[in-house]
Amino acid sequence: MFMAAADASLVLLVVTSALFALALGIGMPVHTTLLSEVFEQERATAIGVYNLIRYMGMAAGPVAGAAMYGAGGTWLEFGAAGLLLLLAVLFAAKNAGGLRLGKSA
């Protein structure tokens, strides 16, 4: 949605950015809660490693995003992010066993 809105209008760009921020605001506490429940004895270490990886991504993301934006514009930058997100969801679904791809029940 963001890629299409970036070319369409400023109002759509603000709306899609707000939806993204809302999704992050809802999703971020879930990660730490799940880590705390799964790694009960190593809770502090699990949250620390999670935050380390998260902050490293926050530092590397703008650098990689600026390079992709310079090379191919908005569509390359957000298309690559969307593709990585799709791959992460498929990987998580495969390993969690919650989603059966290509198999009928």
Side-chain angles (χ1 to χ4, degrees):
M1 287 181 359
F2 187 84
M3 292 186 306
D7 292 335
S9 75
L10 181 61
V11 173
L12 285 176
L13 185 65
V14 170
V15 169
T16 56
S17 293
L19 289 173
F20 178 72
L22 178 67
L24 276 180
I26 292 170
M28 291 302 288
V30 174
H31 300 151
T32 54
T33 302
L34 289 173
L35 280 172
S36 296
E37 289 176 359
V38 172
F39 298 102
E40 208 168 294
Q41 297 299 318
E42 302 88 12
R43 186 177 0 204
T45 303
I47 299 299
V49 170
Y50 169 75
N51 282 326
L52 173 70
I53 293 169
R54 193 176 111 203
Y55 290 129
M56 286 173 57
M58 285 182 196
V63 175
M68 283 190 277
Y69 182 77
T74 307
W75 285 96
L76 176 62
E77 182 179 6
F78 289 99
L83 181 63
L84 286 174
L85 183 61
L86 175 67
L87 291 173
V89 167
L90 291 175
F91 177 78
K94 180 180 180 254
N95 287 326
L99 179 64
R100 305 284 182 217
L101 298 175
K103 296 179 182 177
S104 60

